[in-house]
């Protein structure tokens, strides 16, 4: 049976175990043979501390989450973030409009428009992730001849979009300053995306920034293309 491969959070070297289990429940953290530091210090940390370090975009925290845990919530997190973004767009579209009759047709029209916003947000995210993966596959896999695991990269990109959940409190508490808040949240998400790429590929900051910028350009082009669609097609997308 093939041993599970972990990564040292300090130097990114491979390791076969994070800790050694002795008798009487005694655990000893494995020391990395390369840097002579604990392979993963975060296995003793509280999850709140790990989350804070991840928010601060610390490389060690990202390595712990992406390599040394069996965290498989990236698709659920992706759907939740898309719902947050769809709610933001839907709320900005209608503002504070309220219907006096909860059963009238306007209420259901607005509900279908929310689903349309969800579809548009999913389209833009697909354009972003697709262009990033394509660029890294061409640059690292084809030009440099390196190995690249696209599924792990996609997981890292989706997990690093967790900052989008801040869209909801930004709308609720900072409605008057929403442009500034939304810009800062977008910058934070892109920074997390860049850090996730660096951790997975162990690459330079320049390469990760190039990939994120290309993804942002593709996402913007997809959004502009949807705006330029004929009105009949836009009505179909936004119901």
């Amino acid at each position: 049976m093939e041993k599970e491969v972990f990564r040292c959070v300090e130097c990114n070297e491979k390791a076969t175990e994070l800790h050694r289990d002795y008798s009487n429940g005694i655990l000893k953290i494995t020391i990395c043979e390369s840097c002579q530091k604990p392979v993963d210090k975060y296995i003793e940390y509280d999850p709140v501390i790990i989350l804070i370090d991840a928010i601060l975009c610390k490389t060690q925290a990202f390595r712990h989450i992406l390599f040394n845990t069996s965290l498989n919530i990236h698709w659920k997190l992706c759907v939740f973030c898309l719902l947050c973004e769809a709610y933001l767009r839907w709320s900005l579209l209608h503002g504070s409009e309220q219907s006096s009759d909860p059963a009238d047709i306007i209420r259901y029209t607005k509900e279908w428009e929310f689903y349309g916003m969800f579809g548009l947000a999913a389209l833009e995210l697909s354009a972003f992730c697709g262009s990033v993966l394509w660029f890294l596959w061409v640059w690292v896999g084809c030009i440099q001849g390196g190995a690249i695991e696209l599924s792990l990269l996609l997981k890292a990109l989706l997990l690093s979009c967790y900052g989008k959940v801040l869209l909801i409190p930004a709308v609720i508490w900072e409605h008057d300053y929403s442009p500034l808040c939304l810009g800062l949240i977008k910058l934070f998400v892109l920074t997390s995306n860049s850090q996730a790429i660096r951790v997975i590929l162990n690459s330079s900051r320049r390469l990760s920034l190039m990939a994120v910028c290309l993804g942002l350009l593709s996402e913007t082009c997809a959004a502009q293309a949807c705006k330029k669609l004929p009105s009949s097609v836009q009505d179909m997308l936004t119901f």
Side-chain angles (χ1 to χ4, degrees):
M1 182 176 180
E2 186 179 354
K3 291 185 177 180
E4 190 172 2
V5 178
F6 302 99
R7 295 292 182 92
C8 174
V9 298
E10 302 293 341
C11 65
N12 201 46
E13 285 295 322
K14 294 182 180 180
T16 57
E17 59 183 3
L18 300 178
H19 59 80
R20 189 161 296 176
D21 191 357
Y22 294 95
S23 59
N24 300 324
I26 299 176
L27 298 178
K28 183 179 180 180
I29 297 180
T30 304
I31 301 299
C32 177
E33 297 178 356
S34 177
C35 64
Q36 300 302 315
K37 294 181 180 179
V39 171
D40 193 345
K41 60 183 180 181
Y42 287 104
I43 61 176
E44 293 186 321
Y45 284 22
D46 188 88
V48 176
I49 303 299
I50 300 175
L51 178 61
I52 292 175
D53 281 357
I55 292 175
L56 295 175
C57 292
K58 289 189 176 181
T59 304
Q60 294 89 340
F62 272 70
R63 284 177 180 151
H64 166 77
I65 295 172
L66 295 175
F67 292 125
N68 300 339
T69 63
S70 56
L71 195 64
N72 290 315
I73 62 169
H74 49 288
W75 290 114
K76 295 179 181 178
L77 180 63
C78 173
V79 173
F80 182 73
C81 290
L82 288 176
L83 287 173
C84 293
E85 191 166 355
Y87 171 75
L88 171 67
R89 299 183 183 194
W90 180 80
S91 62
L92 293 178
L93 180 64
H94 293 284
S96 58
E97 294 181 9
Q98 295 183 351
S99 176
S100 58
D101 186 0
D104 64 8
I105 190 173
I106 298 178
R107 173 174 174 268
Y108 294 104
T109 301
K110 291 181 178 180
E111 180 180 347
W112 283 109
E113 287 179 348
F114 172 79
Y115 299 144
M117 294 300 174
F118 178 87
L120 292 176
L123 177 63
E124 293 178 10
L125 179 62
S126 300
F128 176 83
C129 293
S131 59
V132 169
L133 294 177
W134 174 82
F135 171 77
L136 294 174
W137 175 75
V138 171
W139 188 269
V140 178
C142 297
I143 297 178
Q144 296 183 347
I148 181 171
E149 191 174 348
L150 294 179
S151 59
L152 186 58
L153 262 175
L154 178 60
K155 176 182 177 180
L157 286 175
L158 295 179
L159 284 176
S160 59
C161 289
Y162 65 91
K164 290 184 178 181
V165 299
L166 297 174
L167 292 171
I168 297 300
V171 173
I172 296 176
W173 296 327
E174 298 288 346
H175 188 271
D176 294 337
Y177 305 98
S178 56
L180 176 60
C181 292
L182 298 181
L184 292 176
I185 292 173
K186 185 66 174 179
L187 179 61
F188 172 71
V189 172
L190 294 176
T191 303
S192 299
N193 293 149
S194 175
Q195 185 71 322
I197 294 173
R198 288 187 64 203
V199 168
I200 293 297
L201 299 180
N202 196 27
S203 62
S204 63
R205 190 183 305 273
R206 179 180 300 179
L207 177 62
S208 62
L209 288 177
M210 288 173 59
V212 168
C213 289
L214 179 62
L216 180 61
L217 178 62
S218 299
E219 178 183 336
T220 304
C221 291
Q224 294 299 322
C226 290
K227 291 181 180 180
K228 293 181 179 179
L229 288 175
S231 57
S232 58
V233 179
Q234 290 187 19
D235 293 338
M236 291 178 61
L237 289 174
T238 57
F239 301 97

